[in-house]
Amino acid sequence: GTPKKDAAAVSASRSADQILARYVQAVGGDSSLQAAKTQVEKGTVNLGNGVQFPAEIYTKSPGMRSMTMHLPTGDSVEVVNGPSGWSLVPGRPVHEMNSSDLLAAHLDADLQFPANIKTLFPAIQVGPDTEIDGHKVNVIVANSLGLPPVELYFDADSGLLIRMVRFVESPLGRSPTQIDFSDYRVVAGIKVPYQHTISQPQGRFVVQLQEVQRNVSIEDSRFAEPVSGAITAAQ
């Protein structure tokens, strides 16, 4: 039979440069982004069905980020510190990140991410406009040499990033992670998404922030590699 035309596949209404420039302005401008040196976030991780745990995220430029989730059995920790990254859950040994894990972690750790997209991804293509929840979005596909692509979706009206789809290599092939960003609020002149909805093949969870601080002192020791024996039950 005759192949059906994809009704959602329309041409792009903006160039990649226009989309990225609007994103930088939408979050607060380049000067405000460059002024951000640290960020501390506190909130909860909601696993659904009323199950949620407190969490803290510490980020420090350049390229340092630590996320701790307090579980009944102990702390689950994920850390990236420059070229190294690892994760640790109670009862298991430290897991070192591979190259695609590190790319994903560095995206989360970059406080100047809106301004650094062109540097992080040498090859950027604009995709056809589409819709998310009834809103028109502009699409960019960003590529790094030898690593899986990252898809970025921007609200066509506000210019803000509302979805990121990225992939990590696994024994079963590329594993996708979709992150939806919402509830943007202004912190120290920058719009920050207070809600992150993370969808993966193994499940879905929501990070809901209650408090965000910028440019507060963070010791480098917070990003040191965790020791399995040092993980204890949360108080």
Side-chain angles (χ1 to χ4, degrees):
T2 304
K4 290 185 179 179
K5 250 185 145 179
D6 185 357
V10 297
S11 61
S13 59
R14 293 185 173 97
S15 69
D17 286 343
Q18 289 173 327
I19 294 169
L20 296 177
R22 291 181 79 245
Y23 180 31
V24 171
Q25 291 306 310
V27 297
D30 187 68
S31 59
S32 295
L33 285 168
Q34 300 307 325
K37 304 303 179 186
T38 66
Q39 183 163 292
V40 178
E41 303 162 278
K42 297 182 179 181
T44 59
V45 176
N46 189 332
L47 304 181
N49 298 319
V51 179
Q52 64 180 27
F53 304 103
E56 297 104 32
I57 303 170
Y58 292 83
T59 308
K60 185 175 184 178
S61 292
M64 293 186 283
R65 184 178 187 265
S66 170
M67 178 175 179
T68 302
M69 183 168 60
H70 302 293
L71 307 175
T73 55
D75 289 347
S76 172
V77 182
E78 182 177 281
V79 179
V80 61
N81 189 343
S84 302
W86 48 83
S87 61
L88 180 65
V89 296
R92 296 185 182 180
V94 174
H95 169 72
E96 300 289 339
M97 294 183 182
N98 60 31
S99 57
S100 52
D101 287 328
L102 276 171
L103 172 62
H106 278 127
L107 298 184
D108 295 333
D110 191 351
L111 294 176
Q112 289 80 39
F113 174 72
N116 289 344
I117 294 176
K118 288 183 179 180
T119 303
L120 293 168
F121 301 101
I124 294 177
Q125 296 175 310
V126 63
D129 293 344
T130 186
E131 286 191 357
I132 295 177
D133 296 332
H135 294 275
K136 180 180 177 181
V137 296
N138 304 131
V139 183
I140 280 178
V141 180
N143 293 274
S144 292
L145 184 64
L147 294 172
V150 175
E151 300 170 3
L152 303 172
Y153 298 79
F154 302 86
D155 186 281
D157 293 327
S158 69
L160 294 170
L161 179 67
I162 60 171
R163 176 174 292 174
M164 175 188 294
V165 180
R166 61 200 191 199
F167 303 84
V168 296
E169 301 292 353
S170 75
L172 300 178
R174 288 182 176 178
S175 177
T177 295
Q178 176 179 299
I179 308 174
D180 290 290
F181 304 97
S182 59
D183 191 14
Y184 275 88
R185 307 181 197 178
V186 177
V187 178
I190 293 294
K191 288 184 179 178
V192 177
Y194 268 57
Q195 186 175 94
H196 301 186
T197 302
I198 296 96
S199 303
Q200 298 171 317
Q202 62 268 35
R204 177 179 177 273
F205 62 94
V206 177
V207 177
Q208 180 63 57
L209 304 179
Q210 274 92 45
E211 178 186 352
V212 179
Q213 295 177 294
R214 285 209 160 186
N215 295 329
V216 296
S217 178
I218 302 176
E219 296 293 330
D220 287 351
S221 59
R222 185 170 289 279
F223 310 100
E225 184 166 356
V227 179
S228 299
I231 302 301
T232 58
Q235 300 296 318

